[in-house]
Each structure stands twice: as C-alpha cells, then as structure tokens.
Amino acid sequence: ETGVTQTPRHLVMGMTNKKSLKCEQHLGHNAMYWYKQSAKKPLELMFVYNFKEQTENNSVPSRFSPECPNSSHLFLHLHTLQPEDSALYLCASSPSLAGARDEQFFGPGTRLTVL
Amino acid sequence: AQSVTQLGSHVSVSEGALVLLRCNYSSSVPPYLFWYVQYPNQGLQLLLKYTTGATLVKGINGFEAEFKKSETSFHLTKPSAHMSDAAEYFCAVSARSSNTGKLIFGQGTTLQVKP
C-alpha cells in the first residue's frame, strides 16, 4: 500500500451503533488530520495530531472520538451519531505541522450514512 | 483571519475551451497557496502550489495558476479542457507563519466539461 488509505470506504450505521473509521499513511509523515466534507459546505477540519499528540479539536461533538496510537495510524470512533453527521470523512497527513508550505496528502475518504 | 473565496460554485466549459477557476484570498500577509482536485469518490489531490519565487506555477495535467499579490488572487487555468478534467476543485491557503498545519479551504468549484 502506498499513500494514505482509509477503511471502510462506505459505512451505513444506525444512530445507536458504534463504529470506527481507520486511516493509515505509508509516507513517514508525523502529522495527521480528520476532515468532514458535507455537500455544499467547505471542508471542515475536525482534529489534528502531531507525533501522536492531539493539537487541534475544532469544537467537534464528543460523539466523535479520535485516536492516534502512532504516527502512521489514525482512528475516528463514532457513537450515537445523528443523521446530519452523514458526510464524507477524509483523512490526511503531512510531514509535520511546522511546514506551512507542505501539502497535505489525502486518503480516498469514508462515505458515512447515518440512518 | 484568513479566508478563501472561490467565485462560482459551478463552471461549465466545452471540451477544448479555456478553463478559468477563480480564487481570491484574504490575508494581511500573502499566504502559501494551493489548488487541489477531487475526482468523484476520491480524496483530494494536489494540482499545484505557490510558496515563493516565480508567480506563475505549473502543475499536473496541464494546469497552471498565477499568484497576483495586488489582486490577492490565485486563479487556476488550463488552455484546453478535457473531459477527464470534470471534477471539483479546491483552492486553499496556509499562513506562512503557521505551525498548526491548518489549511483554509474555499468552498470548491465543480467543473463540468461538455463534449
């Protein structure tokens, strides 16, 4: 595998379910990000991790719980979601937070539908 | 605070015609500037970026963009559209002094290419 991978690619869940999204980067990067992409809205940054430490929580509801066990893996644990949480969830990575000129590398996303 | 505005949420061109996607930023200090493309059911992919030096930047797939400080713009162009260019395009900025990894995205422009 190369680049940034995300699993699953599609997920349908009920409001009472608990599920997790997984992201893995094979680029040797130290910073990882979760974004939410909803229809007709700009990308929303949710969380930022740098060297496994969370550096940004952009006022995300507690029903979204991130986990970063190491610099290569990032999880987003989901529980008691609402239908308005249905969106494409994108993971990204970059060499570090200090490199403002560095691009972020994105995974293909997980299309989440909450029923 | 920085912001990015993409004029036109939807642009339609004929195959072979010029593509022009507009991006303006608001920042007291010129930021780093990026254009990303998102094909259906995929993540974002970097097309090009401006960090320093020559203000005309060439990217992948024949795209280029010009940084104009006086106009606070970074418009994306391609001389001749191809059907495969149909996608969503995002302009993004990063503050030069940033150590947060934050990218500020525009709302995106959907490019339709007609045969």
Side-chain angles (χ1 to χ4, degrees), chain A residues 29-107:
Chain A
H29 290 167
N30 295 308
M32 296 188 77
Y33 312 79
W34 278 118
Y35 288 90
K36 176 183 179 182
Q37 186 178 29
S38 305
K40 303 190 192 305
K41 291 173 102 175
L43 267 75
E44 300 172 55
L45 179 64
M46 300 175 71
F47 301 103
V48 181
Y49 278 82
N50 192 41
F51 291 96
K52 305 188 299 177
E53 299 300 318
Q54 188 180 119
T55 60
E56 183 90 17
N57 177 338
N58 201 20
S59 303
V60 180
S62 59
R63 57 186 184 268
F64 295 91
S65 175
E67 178 190 3
C68 188
N70 54 61
S71 292
S72 298
H73 294 84
L74 186 62
F75 295 89
L76 189 61
H77 303 300
L78 316 171
H79 63 97
T80 59
L81 293 192
Q82 305 298 311
E84 60 264 29
D85 297 321
S86 298
L88 182 68
Y89 288 84
L90 291 164
C91 174
S93 71
S94 67
S96 75
L97 295 189
R101 67 176 63 197
D102 295 330
E103 68 177 279
Q104 291 181 14
F105 292 77
F106 285 80

